[in-house]
Amino acid sequence: MISVSTEKIRVAVTGAGGRMGREVVKMVLEDEALQLVAAVDPSAGPIDAGLFAGKTNTGVTVSATLDEALNGAEADVLVDFTVPAAAYSNTKSSIMYGVRPVIGTTGFTPEQIEELDELCQDKGIGGLIAPNFSIGAILMMKFAAEASKYLPHVEIIEYHGDQKLDAPSGTSIKTAELISQVRQELRQGNPKEEEVIEGARGGYYNGFRIHSVRLPGVFAQQEVVFGGYGQTLKIRHDSYDRAGYMPGVNVAVKKVMTYSGLIYGFEHIMD
């Protein structure tokens, strides 16, 4: 259960002018339980943040830096959908200000996640890093982990646009981690197989393979393929619009107010 409060949750958004950032700004402005108090975009200039969502007169001026935005904003939560190179420092700065980070950017190392968890606990605040906020994608991961108990031969194929920076995707790595928690390592394929072209078999993870497809015109899809004697099982999730992530982000912003420490994975806060 999300605790009910008469106080609005004060939200700051980094990368507010980006494609995901604009959706977050719009979601915050349309929820009466939330209040936009800060927005960051280095290239936008000092404009009204509402312009990112087709609105005006929000009273929030876009800041060029995170420090500028958080200094005096009294934000409760920071939502970050920037790039891997910036996400770690943004998360750390957020915690230092006592602002709860909700991070949709991937690329964190296990050591960084552990460090950020300790910082959150020291501050007595909650935080969340989630490779995917789509409810359907989380269900796909859960179903894949369950299926791997019975069909341990598995490969992951993930599809994204050609401008995505990281490969494999954070969602595919998280899926692989969940599968590995319930499936013993099993090296698949012919032990004498040979890659005639390096990388043809995909990235190796705990005995199975992850394949990354990068093409223009693709948004975000993932397929988990299981093979057994005389049968295959495919579990697939397709995202068509960034707005599909916003219900999950909305839940995360509210849930992160109720716990201490950093959680990795949206599935841990789903009811």
Side-chain angles (χ1 to χ4, degrees), residues 96-115:
M96 292 298 98
Y97 275 96
V99 180
R100 299 158 179 83
V102 172
I103 311 298
T105 308
T106 57
F108 290 85
T109 67
E111 293 76 21
Q112 288 175 331
I113 293 172
E114 183 178 356
E115 176 194 2

Side-chain angles (χ1 to χ4, degrees), residues 2-254:
I2 299 173
S3 60
V4 178
S5 173
T6 57
E7 295 289 333
K8 289 188 175 185
I9 299 173
R10 298 168 61 85
V11 181
V13 181
T14 55
R19 288 171 293 184
M20 284 296 291
R22 289 172 181 266
E23 293 291 342
V24 176
V25 169
K26 180 180 179 182
M27 179 274 292
V28 172
L29 292 176
E30 292 179 349
D31 189 332
E32 293 183 354
L34 308 179
Q35 179 182 356
L36 184 71
V37 296
V40 183
D41 193 295
S43 60
I47 63 173
D48 189 293
L51 291 172
F52 293 140
K55 302 179 185 296
T56 57
N57 301 319
T58 65
V60 177
T61 300
V62 176
S63 300
T65 68
L66 183 57
D67 284 333
E68 179 186 334
L70 294 183
N71 189 16
E74 298 182 354
D76 297 310
V77 178
L78 172 76
V79 181
D80 183 296
F81 280 95
T82 54
V83 295
Y88 171 70
S89 63
N90 287 350
T91 306
K92 195 168 184 179
S93 294
S94 173
I95 298 169
M96 292 298 98
Y97 275 96
V99 180
R100 299 158 179 83
V102 172
I103 311 298
T105 308
T106 57
F108 290 85
T109 67
E111 293 76 21
Q112 288 175 331
I113 293 172
E114 183 178 356
E115 176 194 2
L116 294 169
D117 175 40
E118 292 176 357
L119 291 175
C120 278
Q121 294 190 47
D122 289 343
K123 284 285 187 177
I125 60 175
L128 174 69
I129 296 173
N132 201 313
F133 282 91
S134 165
I135 305 299
I138 301 303
L139 292 174
M140 175 267 297
M141 295 184 220
K142 287 178 174 284
F143 297 158
E146 183 66 19
S148 69
K149 298 176 184 177
Y150 307 97
L151 294 169
H153 291 267
V154 56
E155 301 210 0
I156 298 172
I157 309 169
E158 54 97 350
Y159 309 77
H160 283 85
D162 60 340
Q163 298 304 302
K164 184 171 177 59
L165 298 177
D166 54 327
S169 69
T171 299
S172 65
I173 293 173
K174 183 63 177 176
T175 306
E177 291 172 350
L178 292 175
I179 289 172
S180 296
Q181 289 174 9
V182 296
R183 168 192 175 277
Q184 291 185 346
E185 182 170 0
L186 171 65
R187 185 176 289 270
Q188 299 174 181
N190 192 311
K192 296 182 180 180
E193 74 175 7
E194 180 182 354
E195 284 186 322
V196 178
I197 299 176
E198 183 180 358
R201 287 287 290 117
Y204 182 90
Y205 190 99
N206 203 45
F208 58 94
R209 302 285 179 167
I210 303 175
H211 308 267
S212 297
V213 177
R214 297 291 179 265
L215 290 171
V218 178
F219 183 57
Q221 292 89 36
Q222 179 169 292
E223 190 170 50
V224 188
V225 185
F226 298 87
Y229 292 109
Q231 62 179 324
T232 61
L233 171 66
K234 297 179 181 180
I235 302 173
R236 179 179 175 116
H237 177 261
D238 296 79
S239 292
Y240 302 105
D241 192 284
R242 290 174 179 83
Y245 299 111
M246 291 306 107
V249 176
N250 186 283
V251 169
V253 168
K254 295 170 182 176

